[in-house]
Amino acid sequence: MKRAFIFFKTKLAAATVASLFAAFFFVSGAYAAPAPNLPTLPIPAINFAVGAADSPQDVALTIQIVALITVLSLAPAILLMMTSFTRILIVLGFIRSAIGLQQTPPNQVVASVALFLTVFTMAPVWNEVYANAVTPYMQEEIPAQAAFERAMTPIRQFMFKQTRERELSLMIRLSGDGQPGSQDDVSSMTLIPAFILSELKTAFQMGIVIYIPFIVVDMVVASILMSMGMMMLPPSMISLPFKILLFVMADGWNLIVASLVTSFN
């Protein structure tokens, strides 16, 4: 009886293995064989080779490609520093720090809000750039150099409008170019850092104004806890809900966005 049971188990295992192999070869054959009358899509081959330069022209071309890749990688940061992005991002960061929230809203949300507000505030400037520089260049009416100069004109006007005289005088003195007679005599390499310094100063001034009401809430809560003898209880833990409630009841987001947008007018 025992031998018959072992023989049955052996036969059953062999049959199972044979069935699995048959199913595998059947499925492999079904998927490996191409369907009739169906065109096959060729897969392109991509080759990338790095070799020694054979001539000075090859070396110059390689340097130009590396320089172009470097400029393209830095272009987004350069463009953002020449717009209203810096001020908006810093002010939104001050709001989060003043309330006492560490990661709410997240950094991605803060950066996205700052980016879209930048697009909104810079729309008139970019429309002028597109109408006066991009469209004529795409229609081959002006060369690339003229298109670049026309594109920089409204951007420079925007930066001059937001740049403080003190920061501009500082950068002119550090550059050693001499006192300019007009705005056209100020180079963009001098104007851009002066504009960034002015944006940082303006953003910090707005941040101080934002901090004041929340500091008052912290001081009131800390005084109440001290008078009640709760010195071991962190005041920030108690004041956080009140600061959030104050910000929501005062419609803080609308006030901040309206202040930021009107500050560029």
Side-chain angles (χ1 to χ4, degrees):
M1 183 67 179
K2 185 175 182 181
R3 291 181 179 179
F5 180 71
I6 295 175
F7 179 75
F8 176 75
K9 288 178 62 179
T10 305
K11 289 291 185 179
L12 181 61
T16 303
V17 172
S19 301
L20 291 176
F21 273 104
F24 173 75
F25 285 116
F26 175 77
V27 173
S28 300
Y31 281 98
N37 301 327
L38 291 179
T40 58
L41 295 176
I43 300 177
I46 300 175
N47 297 323
F48 181 78
V50 178
D54 298 331
S55 62
Q57 290 79 9
D58 294 339
V59 177
L61 181 60
T62 302
I63 295 176
Q64 291 176 3
I65 293 175
V66 172
L68 179 61
I69 294 175
T70 303
V71 172
L72 290 178
S73 62
L74 296 177
I78 296 173
L79 291 176
L80 289 177
M81 296 302 289
M82 296 168 59
T83 61
S84 57
F85 181 80
T86 303
R87 183 191 304 184
I88 296 174
L89 184 63
I90 293 176
V91 170
L92 294 180
F94 268 114
I95 295 172
R96 189 171 63 178
S97 300
I99 296 176
L101 301 172
Q102 300 299 324
Q103 295 296 329
T104 304
N107 294 330
Q108 295 84 351
V109 175
V110 174
S112 300
V113 173
L115 183 60
F116 279 98
L117 287 178
T118 302
V119 173
F120 180 81
T121 55
M122 296 295 297
V125 178
W126 289 342
N127 290 335
E128 187 175 353
V129 171
Y130 184 81
N132 298 335
V134 178
T135 301
Y137 177 72
M138 295 298 294
Q139 296 176 355
E140 299 182 356
E141 297 177 358
I142 57 175
Q145 182 64 27
F148 177 76
E149 293 176 358
R150 288 190 181 185
M152 286 299 298
T153 300
I155 297 177
R156 283 172 56 89
Q157 292 176 356
F158 171 79
M159 289 191 293
F160 271 116
K161 187 177 180 181
Q162 305 301 327
T163 304
R164 300 170 184 268
E165 294 183 0
R166 185 172 183 178
E167 280 72 21
L168 185 59
S169 301
L170 172 64
M171 297 309 303
I172 292 175
R173 186 173 67 253
L174 293 177
S175 64
D177 295 337
Q179 189 66 25
S182 62
Q183 293 183 354
D184 296 335
D185 298 333
V186 180
S187 64
S188 298
M189 298 302 296
T190 303
L191 175 60
I192 292 174
F195 168 75
I196 295 173
L197 291 177
S198 299
E199 289 294 286
L200 291 175
K201 185 175 182 179
T202 304
F204 273 73
Q205 289 177 349
M206 297 180 68
I208 293 174
V209 176
I210 292 172
Y211 254 97
I212 291 176
F214 299 107
I215 291 177
V216 172
V217 174
D218 287 333
M219 293 177 61
V220 171
V221 171
S223 301
I224 294 174
L225 293 178
M226 288 287 292
S227 63
M228 296 176 63
M230 299 181 179
M231 293 178 293
M232 300 301 294
L233 186 63
S236 59
M237 185 176 64
I238 306 300
S239 63
L240 179 59
F242 292 100
K243 290 190 290 186
I244 296 176
L245 181 62
L246 173 65
F247 188 74
V248 173
M249 294 297 294
D251 205 0
W253 289 116
N254 288 347
L255 293 176
I256 295 299
V257 171
S259 301
L260 284 172
V261 173
T262 55
S263 65
F264 293 100
N265 297 330

